Amino acid sequence: MTFITANWNPLGDAFYRKTELYDMCWDLKDALRDCLVAAAPYGGPIALLRKPLRCSPSSRPQLEIYSASGFAITSFPWKSGPLVHLGWTITDELLCIQEDGSVLIYDLFGSFKRHFSMGQEVVQNHVLEAKVFHSPFGTGVAIISGSSHFTLATNVDELKLRRLPEVPGLQGKPLCWAVLVQDRQIKVLLSSGPELYILDDTSCSEVHPPWLSPQAGSIIHMSVSFSYKYLALFTDTGHLTFYSQNKLSEIDTKRSTAPEQMVWCRRPNSQQPSVVLLWDRLLMVAGVCNDTIQFPIEDQCVLVGEMDGVRILSTRSHELLQEVPLVCQDIFKIASMAPGALLLEAHREYEKSSQKADEYLRELKEQSMLEEAVKQCVGAARYEYDPQTQKSLLRAASFGKCFLADFSADPFVETCRELRVLNAVRVSSVGLPLTYPQYPRIFKHLTLQVLTDRLVYRQLYPLAIKVCHYLKIPDYHGVSRVLRHWASCKVQQKDLSDEAIAKAVCAKVGDSPGFSYSHIAAKAYECGRAELAIKLLDFEARSGEQVPLLLKMKRSHLALSKAVESGDTDLVYMVVTHLKNEMNRGDFFMTLRNQPVALSLYKQFCKLQEQETLKDLYNQDDDHQELANYYVAASYREKRMDIRLSLLQSAVDEYNKAKNDFAAKATEDEMRLLRFQRKLDEDKATELLGLSLQATMEALLALGFHKQAEQLYRDFKVPEKRYWWLKLKSLAKKEEWEELEKFSKTKKSPIGYLPFVEVCMKRNNKYEAKKYVSRVMPEQKVRAHLAISDLEGAADAAIERRNESEIGIVLSRCAASDHLLIERLNRARTSTVKK
Amino acid sequence: MAAHLSSGRVNLNILREAARKELRVFLDKCAGSKAIVWDEYLTGPFGLIAQYSLLKEHEVEKMFTLKSGRVPPADVKNVIFFVRPRLELMDIIVDNVFRSVGTLHSSRDFHILFVPRRSLLCEQRLKEQGVLGSFVNIEEYILDLIPCDSDLLSMEYESAFRECYLENDQTSLYHTAKGLINLQALYGTIPQIYGKGECARHVANMMLRMKREFAGSQNQILPVFDSLLLLDRNVDLLTPLATQLTYEGLIDEIYGITNGYVKLPPEKFAEKKQGEGSKDLLTERKKLQLNSAEELYAEIRDKNFNAVGAALSKKAKIISAAFEERHNAKTVVEIKQFVSQLPHMQAARSSLANHTSIAELIKEITTSEAFFDNLTVEQEFMTGIDTDKVNTYIEDRIAQKEKLTKILRLMCMQSVCNNGLKQKVLDYYKREIFQAYGYEHMLTLNNLEKMGLFKPQTSSRNNYPTIRKTLKLWMEDANEQNPNDISYVYSGYAPLSIRLTQLLARPGWRSIEEVLKMLPGPHFEERQQLPGGLHKKRHQGENRTTLVFFLGGVTYAEIAALRFLSQMEDGGMEYVIATTKLINGTSWIGSLMDHPASKAP
């Protein structure tokens, strides 16, 4: 720890360090050579496909999976087709891409999960090269086929294949290519000889990098940074060019062979980003600043890019190469006078019980740099991998903190807590070498559960639960998820009885919030343990979750009642349609009868889709009223008159059975009207069919068929009042004033005589209107006079009736010039009020 | 665009923002240029969430209306259907997809976005028709509660009342419960739930159940609402039948407000536009947005219409005085200050002009004899005069071929106020309808009877007078200008639903147990446990907030009455209103009618 800077190498004005993460506990000998290797980012697992020992056609390659510390997790002979590429998803699943384009997915323990294909075309043409990439959409796969076509799967969990457009003139595979994420789109950058192309979903465009010097040669290797913001191109003349938006710089590596691997090495807020290049015996860190560091290497190595560095895997060790963060530089640089360095020194002296501690502290306090010093120590601790170094920094911070009056301890506490978790997962037996900057990345920005999920994938349940408790993750996101995973493993244990498993699961899980028993039940059912599944389903609180599984297990009745219980009508429909296909009609109807909610939903469905079934349902229930309504509705959908009438007759019968005499009578009337209309339409070529009774009479009157109108009036017992209105309006419309007068005298008008006045006025016939004013009832007299604009008459009527409001109405109609009248009305009003 | 949503007691913009975010996420899933094919019914509600600009930002280049045939040609990568989960719409989509096969654009990707929820039934239909595989994305866009104004949420679910009471289909209630759960996720768990009615009970049950299902995902948000009141529309069938007499209510009654917009006859508005082709303007109805973002409208919308004139003329004086200020502006600073206020003043002036025109339009109607006569009959019914015999005014109106919905409104009102009609009266009315409007209305009348709106008297006792007296539903001396009671919104009639809400706040429902028993459905109270530390510490004099949810619709007059209660100084309670649909008597009755003679179901 004294020589903390011993492994620091200067690059420009920054330093790079190689930290040993693990002594690999695998025993590989030379195996890293000539085998497919895939190591997941964020300290994920390592997969190797080792060539068979003997080269006989019957021998199979061996697929081995190790933790980052080299612990063997599983190993099995590869029996499927030849593999082109291996890669890991963000959820620690292994993607094995075969030559024929099928992608096989395995979990961490080597059990096969599922597979998909990269398209029909690839089956014949074969995959030349494949890459696995991570983007905000998930983990994706990109391949280039023998016919030089690129195909992309953006997210292996939601498989959608995209075939990219053709690259002009490309034969075989390009010199090099890379996948990028730009503007929420996945693109492919490729070099074929001197040209550089960019491919997106719809187009292939050639890029002419003005920033690439013409003598640079062809691009034979390229690397995109972890964040997809930086690009490095390596040409066959040994030139390495760096870009972000623009060209950053260029460096001559003096090596013309393509490196085996080329990976960006930078961190957020990097001072000196660089690219790490790997050749057979050389590891070169080429900085954007034109400086390089060269490490000779003896072993076969594999580079794994991380967001804040590069991991170097070899047969013996596992190292992390990264730029030393500024805060660590400040503290540990030789002869540093940074506040943090002083505080660390102060604490060291204090532990030695030396008075120098006081001197250092005073100095810090005098320059009011103590707070800064504490922050630096806390900050540096986060980036140190060695727990001893972390501890000494944190102790120093804690020591300095005591001398600060109002200093929020939260960052300090938080850091301690987080480092504790990190150290716990870094230990060799767990083998998750996460760095601090990666931790918030996976832990906070992605989702809370990723870290625990990773432990869970490794079946490290107790540790995962401890972490959840320690970090106070809400149960819903934390412990419950761990338990879920545990339980789904548990139900697959073949050596335990159903009873024992159900008991064990229930005992451990209880009613942990957010725990889905149906999920576990589904797992059990998948493993052929239906009884266990039903036992587990009983614990499920969410009916929405139970239903699909119950259906699958052929417990339809139970499924239906659970669906109804949930209130989710879509779920009910799902069960109902399922039952409909599964049962015979009779049983189906009987089942529905016991579930009124389901029945009425099904009726709704039938109303829109299967009218005939609706009839059967009503029939079965002896629901005559509804059946009658059904026939009525049906009659309107029918064009042919005889069918229409027979449907209505059925409606009458059903109404009678339902003892709804009124409706039966009304429907009979309707049939009578229809017959009447049809007859008249035939005889007199009228167009009455479909009109209401009222409209029919109106039409008849308008056409002069008074006798027929009269007949309808009597036959249908039309109220006198309404008929009078009808006749009145009809006559007025035709301006048959004499007829109107005759009509008014046939008998005493049931609607009074005001309407007569009004219809006349509507036709502007004041002369006719006046004839009826005298016959208007006293209480409507005022209105009648006003209607013919006879103010005097209205005033007389109002005064005679001594009605205050009527006087008011007349007054409001008076113009200012009628002062005599106004006076009279006002007088009358006062006298009325007095009384 | 939606600043007015955050101006209320509860910031409803949070809800809108959440909905917008969802939409963006979905649009981004379909990479590349897009065309949206709209289920026309959805465009209105969506307008309240996102304007075209948002869609455009996400590469939506074309928009079409969903109809049979081929999707119009558009050079886009994606075609997205925004639809309600209805089988008849699925058939149209199937047709669209089939017809695009083999055309120039057959490489397009199809997507479906179901609003508000995806449905297995619909997906199955697509599968049966063999097009399910043609869709790259099939997703749902959970749009339950749409913020319409700073204190108003609506699901815009038109058929909710009909489905619940006529068809025994409680889908809308499930959506309501889900919507409330989502609301609680944003605004905190509502500690107390009250309710009255069968549907209310059902919604509350589902909410509690869903909460149990998600037990453990403890909501850590400090509750914004203190209580939730769920009210069934069928507890108060009378109120929507009555003609609303507030400004906003009348606009809705006469012209209809849809999704915050009203279309008005252009004559009154045309003259202000000079120089343009005035003939074109006359033919197209003027579309105006109505919400609290407009200061003047917020001020007058809830007033009784009789008080609107005075308010408008007062405003006119203020505005012209403000414009007069310019003569007093002498110094450069003063002039600058005046000029800086100009845009605001001009907006106020045009707003005033608009509302003066609207008020004139409405006044022409409210001062007509027909309106007066209709109102008189309504008020007679509500006060219990002659509700037990055939009403001559109704007879007259039938003879005059008044619109059927209007007749039904009055008949239903009479029936409700009389707790059902004598068989003889009922049959007479029915026969009148059959003869004057056609026998096809048999089904509609049957519906109304089932829902208790137009039914025979079953018991000899009429509860309505008791309810009216106990709850003081009729106030003789309603003050329209300076109201002191909610009855001002109907010039005398205090809406039953709002009276119940008012009495719940003070003194509590215990005082009216007897009346509650006369109204249909159970009444109940539930508590939802809050995690420790989330109990509100109430400051002295701080008002409590209640979310009132009307299951089956609410009228603008009822909303006005609740706003009036919120503003009462000693009320101590503020209300936020939610509903399945904003209704008025006409639209409501319309939704309950059956039209067997027309093709569409």
Side-chain angles (χ1 to χ4, degrees), chain B residues 66 69 81 87 89-100 122 125-132 135:
Chain B
L66 181 65
F81 294 95
L87 288 174
L89 297 179
M90 293 307 111
D91 294 342
I92 301 179
I93 292 179
V94 169
D95 189 43
N96 281 182
V97 172
F98 274 141
R99 286 186 196 232
S100 79
C122 289
R125 170 58 60 98
L126 295 175
K127 201 172 166 186
E128 282 164 14
Q129 304 285 337
V131 297
L132 190 68
F135 294 97

PDB file of all heavy atoms in Angstrom, chain B residues 66 69 81 87 89-100 122 125-132 135:
ATOM      1  N   LEU B  66     -59.583   6.104 -39.793  1.00  0.00           N
ATOM      2  CA  LEU B  66     -59.765   4.683 -40.051  1.00  0.00           C
ATOM      3  C   LEU B  66     -61.045   4.445 -40.835  1.00  0.00           C
ATOM      4  O   LEU B  66     -62.124   4.817 -40.399  1.00  0.00           O
ATOM      5  CB  LEU B  66     -59.833   3.932 -38.717  1.00  0.00           C
ATOM      6  CG  LEU B  66     -59.995   2.426 -38.799  1.00  0.00           C
ATOM      7  CD1 LEU B  66     -58.790   1.780 -39.422  1.00  0.00           C
ATOM      8  CD2 LEU B  66     -60.251   1.833 -37.434  1.00  0.00           C
ATOM      9  N   GLY B  69     -61.124  -0.087 -46.847  1.00  0.00           N
ATOM     10  CA  GLY B  69     -60.407   0.182 -48.094  1.00  0.00           C
ATOM     11  C   GLY B  69     -58.919   0.207 -47.846  1.00  0.00           C
ATOM     12  O   GLY B  69     -58.425  -0.392 -46.901  1.00  0.00           O
ATOM     13  N   PHE B  81     -52.071   2.035 -36.165  1.00  0.00           N
ATOM     14  CA  PHE B  81     -53.497   2.190 -35.927  1.00  0.00           C
ATOM     15  C   PHE B  81     -53.715   2.551 -34.461  1.00  0.00           C
ATOM     16  O   PHE B  81     -53.284   1.815 -33.574  1.00  0.00           O
ATOM     17  CB  PHE B  81     -54.238   0.892 -36.237  1.00  0.00           C
ATOM     18  CG  PHE B  81     -54.190   0.515 -37.692  1.00  0.00           C
ATOM     19  CD1 PHE B  81     -53.232  -0.366 -38.167  1.00  0.00           C
ATOM     20  CD2 PHE B  81     -55.109   1.057 -38.581  1.00  0.00           C
ATOM     21  CE1 PHE B  81     -53.186  -0.709 -39.508  1.00  0.00           C
ATOM     22  CE2 PHE B  81     -55.068   0.723 -39.921  1.00  0.00           C
ATOM     23  CZ  PHE B  81     -54.107  -0.159 -40.394  1.00  0.00           C
ATOM     24  N   LEU B  87     -64.433  -4.953 -31.898  1.00  0.00           N
ATOM     25  CA  LEU B  87     -64.336  -5.931 -32.964  1.00  0.00           C
ATOM     26  C   LEU B  87     -64.617  -5.326 -34.335  1.00  0.00           C
ATOM     27  O   LEU B  87     -63.950  -5.642 -35.314  1.00  0.00           O
ATOM     28  CB  LEU B  87     -65.306  -7.079 -32.699  1.00  0.00           C
ATOM     29  CG  LEU B  87     -64.860  -7.977 -31.545  1.00  0.00           C
ATOM     30  CD1 LEU B  87     -65.915  -9.007 -31.239  1.00  0.00           C
ATOM     31  CD2 LEU B  87     -63.544  -8.665 -31.879  1.00  0.00           C
ATOM     32  N   LEU B  89     -63.979  -2.477 -35.379  1.00  0.00           N
ATOM     33  CA  LEU B  89     -62.810  -1.739 -35.865  1.00  0.00           C
ATOM     34  C   LEU B  89     -61.726  -2.703 -36.362  1.00  0.00           C
ATOM     35  O   LEU B  89     -60.990  -2.401 -37.299  1.00  0.00           O
ATOM     36  CB  LEU B  89     -62.245  -0.852 -34.754  1.00  0.00           C
ATOM     37  CG  LEU B  89     -63.191   0.242 -34.256  1.00  0.00           C
ATOM     38  CD1 LEU B  89     -62.542   1.038 -33.134  1.00  0.00           C
ATOM     39  CD2 LEU B  89     -63.576   1.170 -35.383  1.00  0.00           C
ATOM     40  N   MET B  90     -61.660  -3.866 -35.702  1.00  0.00           N
ATOM     41  CA  MET B  90     -60.670  -4.857 -36.118  1.00  0.00           C
ATOM     42  C   MET B  90     -60.934  -5.278 -37.572  1.00  0.00           C
ATOM     43  O   MET B  90     -60.018  -5.432 -38.365  1.00  0.00           O
ATOM     44  CB  MET B  90     -60.734  -6.101 -35.225  1.00  0.00           C
ATOM     45  CG  MET B  90     -60.317  -5.866 -33.800  1.00  0.00           C
ATOM     46  SD  MET B  90     -58.708  -5.098 -33.649  1.00  0.00           S
ATOM     47  CE  MET B  90     -59.174  -3.491 -33.046  1.00  0.00           C
ATOM     48  N   ASP B  91     -62.225  -5.419 -37.894  1.00  0.00           N
ATOM     49  CA  ASP B  91     -62.558  -5.842 -39.251  1.00  0.00           C
ATOM     50  C   ASP B  91     -62.078  -4.823 -40.271  1.00  0.00           C
ATOM     51  O   ASP B  91     -61.607  -5.173 -41.349  1.00  0.00           O
ATOM     52  CB  ASP B  91     -64.074  -6.068 -39.378  1.00  0.00           C
ATOM     53  CG  ASP B  91     -64.523  -7.248 -38.520  1.00  0.00           C
ATOM     54  OD1 ASP B  91     -63.636  -8.045 -38.137  1.00  0.00           O
ATOM     55  OD2 ASP B  91     -65.717  -7.369 -38.225  1.00  0.00           O
ATOM     56  N   ILE B  92     -62.190  -3.547 -39.901  1.00  0.00           N
ATOM     57  CA  ILE B  92     -61.720  -2.503 -40.826  1.00  0.00           C
ATOM     58  C   ILE B  92     -60.198  -2.594 -40.974  1.00  0.00           C
ATOM     59  O   ILE B  92     -59.654  -2.505 -42.077  1.00  0.00           O
ATOM     60  CB  ILE B  92     -62.122  -1.107 -40.311  1.00  0.00           C
ATOM     61  CG1 ILE B  92     -63.641  -1.030 -40.174  1.00  0.00           C
ATOM     62  CG2 ILE B  92     -61.607  -0.033 -41.256  1.00  0.00           C
ATOM     63  CD1 ILE B  92     -64.141   0.292 -39.663  1.00  0.00           C
ATOM     64  N   ILE B  93     -59.527  -2.818 -39.860  1.00  0.00           N
ATOM     65  CA  ILE B  93     -58.065  -2.912 -39.919  1.00  0.00           C
ATOM     66  C   ILE B  93     -57.649  -4.085 -40.809  1.00  0.00           C
ATOM     67  O   ILE B  93     -56.750  -3.968 -41.639  1.00  0.00           O
ATOM     68  CB  ILE B  93     -57.470  -3.065 -38.499  1.00  0.00           C
ATOM     69  CG1 ILE B  93     -57.681  -1.771 -37.708  1.00  0.00           C
ATOM     70  CG2 ILE B  93     -55.998  -3.420 -38.548  1.00  0.00           C
ATOM     71  CD1 ILE B  93     -57.160  -1.801 -36.303  1.00  0.00           C
ATOM     72  N   VAL B  94     -58.357  -5.201 -40.632  1.00  0.00           N
ATOM     73  CA  VAL B  94     -58.047  -6.379 -41.446  1.00  0.00           C
ATOM     74  C   VAL B  94     -58.144  -6.014 -42.926  1.00  0.00           C
ATOM     75  O   VAL B  94     -57.254  -6.309 -43.720  1.00  0.00           O
ATOM     76  CB  VAL B  94     -59.022  -7.527 -41.114  1.00  0.00           C
ATOM     77  CG1 VAL B  94     -58.879  -8.649 -42.125  1.00  0.00           C
ATOM     78  CG2 VAL B  94     -58.751  -8.054 -39.708  1.00  0.00           C
ATOM     79  N   ASP B  95     -59.230  -5.322 -43.248  1.00  0.00           N
ATOM     80  CA  ASP B  95     -59.443  -4.906 -44.627  1.00  0.00           C
ATOM     81  C   ASP B  95     -58.271  -4.021 -45.101  1.00  0.00           C
ATOM     82  O   ASP B  95     -57.710  -4.231 -46.179  1.00  0.00           O
ATOM     83  CB  ASP B  95     -60.762  -4.131 -44.697  1.00  0.00           C
ATOM     84  CG  ASP B  95     -61.171  -3.856 -46.121  1.00  0.00           C
ATOM     85  OD1 ASP B  95     -61.037  -4.780 -46.939  1.00  0.00           O
ATOM     86  OD2 ASP B  95     -61.610  -2.734 -46.411  1.00  0.00           O
ATOM     87  N   ASN B  96     -57.910  -3.071 -44.272  1.00  0.00           N
ATOM     88  CA  ASN B  96     -56.792  -2.180 -44.599  1.00  0.00           C
ATOM     89  C   ASN B  96     -55.516  -2.946 -44.888  1.00  0.00           C
ATOM     90  O   ASN B  96     -54.815  -2.674 -45.858  1.00  0.00           O
ATOM     91  CB  ASN B  96     -56.503  -1.238 -43.409  1.00  0.00           C
ATOM     92  CG  ASN B  96     -57.470  -0.065 -43.338  1.00  0.00           C
ATOM     93  OD1 ASN B  96     -57.353   0.775 -42.482  1.00  0.00           O
ATOM     94  ND2 ASN B  96     -58.430  -0.024 -44.246  1.00  0.00           N
ATOM     95  N   VAL B  97     -55.245  -3.905 -44.017  1.00  0.00           N
ATOM     96  CA  VAL B  97     -53.989  -4.637 -44.150  1.00  0.00           C
ATOM     97  C   VAL B  97     -53.991  -5.478 -45.426  1.00  0.00           C
ATOM     98  O   VAL B  97     -53.042  -5.457 -46.201  1.00  0.00           O
ATOM     99  CB  VAL B  97     -53.732  -5.514 -42.913  1.00  0.00           C
ATOM    100  CG1 VAL B  97     -52.528  -6.410 -43.136  1.00  0.00           C
ATOM    101  CG2 VAL B  97     -53.503  -4.650 -41.691  1.00  0.00           C
ATOM    102  N   PHE B  98     -55.133  -6.180 -45.644  1.00  0.00           N
ATOM    103  CA  PHE B  98     -55.203  -7.018 -46.843  1.00  0.00           C
ATOM    104  C   PHE B  98     -54.990  -6.215 -48.107  1.00  0.00           C
ATOM    105  O   PHE B  98     -54.314  -6.634 -49.030  1.00  0.00           O
ATOM    106  CB  PHE B  98     -56.557  -7.736 -46.909  1.00  0.00           C
ATOM    107  CG  PHE B  98     -56.550  -9.027 -46.141  1.00  0.00           C
ATOM    108  CD1 PHE B  98     -57.646  -9.426 -45.395  1.00  0.00           C
ATOM    109  CD2 PHE B  98     -55.427  -9.852 -46.175  1.00  0.00           C
ATOM    110  CE1 PHE B  98     -57.629 -10.605 -44.682  1.00  0.00           C
ATOM    111  CE2 PHE B  98     -55.406 -11.035 -45.466  1.00  0.00           C
ATOM    112  CZ  PHE B  98     -56.514 -11.413 -44.718  1.00  0.00           C
ATOM    113  N   ARG B  99     -55.595  -5.055 -48.136  1.00  0.00           N
ATOM    114  CA  ARG B  99     -55.518  -4.283 -49.362  1.00  0.00           C
ATOM    115  C   ARG B  99     -54.151  -3.664 -49.606  1.00  0.00           C
ATOM    116  O   ARG B  99     -53.870  -3.182 -50.695  1.00  0.00           O
ATOM    117  CB  ARG B  99     -56.563  -3.182 -49.346  1.00  0.00           C
ATOM    118  CG  ARG B  99     -57.934  -3.778 -49.566  1.00  0.00           C
ATOM    119  CD  ARG B  99     -58.940  -2.693 -49.700  1.00  0.00           C
ATOM    120  NE  ARG B  99     -60.260  -3.245 -49.524  1.00  0.00           N
ATOM    121  CZ  ARG B  99     -61.245  -3.058 -50.392  1.00  0.00           C
ATOM    122  NH1 ARG B  99     -61.020  -2.350 -51.461  1.00  0.00           N
ATOM    123  NH2 ARG B  99     -62.416  -3.571 -50.157  1.00  0.00           N
ATOM    124  N   SER B 100     -53.339  -3.632 -48.587  1.00  0.00           N
ATOM    125  CA  SER B 100     -52.020  -3.038 -48.809  1.00  0.00           C
ATOM    126  C   SER B 100     -51.027  -4.080 -49.298  1.00  0.00           C
ATOM    127  O   SER B 100     -49.943  -3.753 -49.738  1.00  0.00           O
ATOM    128  CB  SER B 100     -51.513  -2.394 -47.521  1.00  0.00           C
ATOM    129  OG  SER B 100     -51.024  -3.389 -46.679  1.00  0.00           O
ATOM    130  N   CYS B 122     -60.022  -8.896 -29.425  1.00  0.00           N
ATOM    131  CA  CYS B 122     -59.660  -8.234 -30.674  1.00  0.00           C
ATOM    132  C   CYS B 122     -58.459  -8.917 -31.314  1.00  0.00           C
ATOM    133  O   CYS B 122     -58.412  -9.107 -32.526  1.00  0.00           O
ATOM    134  CB  CYS B 122     -59.326  -6.773 -30.427  1.00  0.00           C
ATOM    135  SG  CYS B 122     -60.775  -5.814 -30.038  1.00  0.00           S
ATOM    136  N   ARG B 125     -59.501 -11.920 -33.009  1.00  0.00           N
ATOM    137  CA  ARG B 125     -60.155 -11.644 -34.276  1.00  0.00           C
ATOM    138  C   ARG B 125     -59.100 -11.443 -35.372  1.00  0.00           C
ATOM    139  O   ARG B 125     -59.193 -11.990 -36.458  1.00  0.00           O
ATOM    140  CB  ARG B 125     -61.046 -10.406 -34.112  1.00  0.00           C
ATOM    141  CG  ARG B 125     -61.608  -9.837 -35.414  1.00  0.00           C
ATOM    142  CD  ARG B 125     -62.429 -10.837 -36.195  1.00  0.00           C
ATOM    143  NE  ARG B 125     -63.583 -11.346 -35.489  1.00  0.00           N
ATOM    144  CZ  ARG B 125     -64.833 -10.894 -35.640  1.00  0.00           C
ATOM    145  NH1 ARG B 125     -65.068  -9.954 -36.497  1.00  0.00           N
ATOM    146  NH2 ARG B 125     -65.817 -11.406 -34.950  1.00  0.00           N
ATOM    147  N   LEU B 126     -58.053 -10.685 -35.044  1.00  0.00           N
ATOM    148  CA  LEU B 126     -56.993 -10.446 -36.019  1.00  0.00           C
ATOM    149  C   LEU B 126     -56.319 -11.762 -36.403  1.00  0.00           C
ATOM    150  O   LEU B 126     -55.956 -11.990 -37.555  1.00  0.00           O
ATOM    151  CB  LEU B 126     -55.962  -9.477 -35.462  1.00  0.00           C
ATOM    152  CG  LEU B 126     -56.462  -8.053 -35.187  1.00  0.00           C
ATOM    153  CD1 LEU B 126     -55.370  -7.234 -34.517  1.00  0.00           C
ATOM    154  CD2 LEU B 126     -56.895  -7.383 -36.474  1.00  0.00           C
ATOM    155  N   LYS B 127     -56.198 -12.618 -35.398  1.00  0.00           N
ATOM    156  CA  LYS B 127     -55.551 -13.895 -35.641  1.00  0.00           C
ATOM    157  C   LYS B 127     -56.402 -14.752 -36.560  1.00  0.00           C
ATOM    158  O   LYS B 127     -55.907 -15.319 -37.536  1.00  0.00           O
ATOM    159  CB  LYS B 127     -55.357 -14.591 -34.285  1.00  0.00           C
ATOM    160  CG  LYS B 127     -54.291 -15.662 -34.298  1.00  0.00           C
ATOM    161  CD  LYS B 127     -54.056 -16.120 -32.873  1.00  0.00           C
ATOM    162  CE  LYS B 127     -53.272 -17.395 -32.822  1.00  0.00           C
ATOM    163  NZ  LYS B 127     -53.188 -17.888 -31.434  1.00  0.00           N
ATOM    164  N   GLU B 128     -57.714 -14.809 -36.255  1.00  0.00           N
ATOM    165  CA  GLU B 128     -58.627 -15.591 -37.092  1.00  0.00           C
ATOM    166  C   GLU B 128     -58.563 -15.132 -38.540  1.00  0.00           C
ATOM    167  O   GLU B 128     -58.650 -15.928 -39.467  1.00  0.00           O
ATOM    168  CB  GLU B 128     -60.078 -15.421 -36.610  1.00  0.00           C
ATOM    169  CG  GLU B 128     -60.413 -16.246 -35.388  1.00  0.00           C
ATOM    170  CD  GLU B 128     -61.699 -15.769 -34.731  1.00  0.00           C
ATOM    171  OE1 GLU B 128     -62.448 -14.996 -35.364  1.00  0.00           O
ATOM    172  OE2 GLU B 128     -61.939 -16.157 -33.577  1.00  0.00           O
ATOM    173  N   GLN B 129     -58.420 -13.819 -38.709  1.00  0.00           N
ATOM    174  CA  GLN B 129     -58.396 -13.275 -40.060  1.00  0.00           C
ATOM    175  C   GLN B 129     -57.008 -13.385 -40.694  1.00  0.00           C
ATOM    176  O   GLN B 129     -56.810 -12.945 -41.815  1.00  0.00           O
ATOM    177  CB  GLN B 129     -58.828 -11.817 -40.058  1.00  0.00           C
ATOM    178  CG  GLN B 129     -60.190 -11.569 -39.442  1.00  0.00           C
ATOM    179  CD  GLN B 129     -61.312 -12.001 -40.359  1.00  0.00           C
ATOM    180  OE1 GLN B 129     -61.135 -12.076 -41.557  1.00  0.00           O
ATOM    181  NE2 GLN B 129     -62.461 -12.309 -39.797  1.00  0.00           N
ATOM    182  N   GLY B 130     -56.074 -13.882 -39.893  1.00  0.00           N
ATOM    183  CA  GLY B 130     -54.750 -14.144 -40.433  1.00  0.00           C
ATOM    184  C   GLY B 130     -53.876 -12.932 -40.638  1.00  0.00           C
ATOM    185  O   GLY B 130     -52.991 -12.942 -41.488  1.00  0.00           O
ATOM    186  N   VAL B 131     -54.122 -11.876 -39.873  1.00  0.00           N
ATOM    187  CA  VAL B 131     -53.259 -10.708 -40.049  1.00  0.00           C
ATOM    188  C   VAL B 131     -52.461 -10.374 -38.791  1.00  0.00           C
ATOM    189  O   VAL B 131     -51.671  -9.446 -38.795  1.00  0.00           O
ATOM    190  CB  VAL B 131     -54.057  -9.455 -40.462  1.00  0.00           C
ATOM    191  CG1 VAL B 131     -54.708  -9.661 -41.801  1.00  0.00           C
ATOM    192  CG2 VAL B 131     -55.072  -9.076 -39.419  1.00  0.00           C
ATOM    193  N   LEU B 132     -52.696 -11.125 -37.725  1.00  0.00           N
ATOM    194  CA  LEU B 132     -52.028 -10.787 -36.464  1.00  0.00           C
ATOM    195  C   LEU B 132     -50.521 -10.687 -36.654  1.00  0.00           C
ATOM    196  O   LEU B 132     -49.863  -9.809 -36.113  1.00  0.00           O
ATOM    197  CB  LEU B 132     -52.365 -11.825 -35.394  1.00  0.00           C
ATOM    198  CG  LEU B 132     -51.926 -11.449 -33.979  1.00  0.00           C
ATOM    199  CD1 LEU B 132     -52.727 -10.267 -33.470  1.00  0.00           C
ATOM    200  CD2 LEU B 132     -52.080 -12.609 -33.020  1.00  0.00           C
ATOM    201  N   PHE B 135     -48.429  -7.445 -37.706  1.00  0.00           N
ATOM    202  CA  PHE B 135     -48.175  -6.299 -36.844  1.00  0.00           C
ATOM    203  C   PHE B 135     -46.873  -6.466 -36.087  1.00  0.00           C
ATOM    204  O   PHE B 135     -46.650  -7.474 -35.435  1.00  0.00           O
ATOM    205  CB  PHE B 135     -49.338  -6.097 -35.882  1.00  0.00           C
ATOM    206  CG  PHE B 135     -50.589  -5.708 -36.603  1.00  0.00           C
ATOM    207  CD1 PHE B 135     -51.534  -6.651 -36.924  1.00  0.00           C
ATOM    208  CD2 PHE B 135     -50.787  -4.400 -37.012  1.00  0.00           C
ATOM    209  CE1 PHE B 135     -52.668  -6.306 -37.630  1.00  0.00           C
ATOM    210  CE2 PHE B 135     -51.908  -4.040 -37.713  1.00  0.00           C
ATOM    211  CZ  PHE B 135     -52.854  -4.995 -38.025  1.00  0.00           C
TER     212      PHE B 135
END
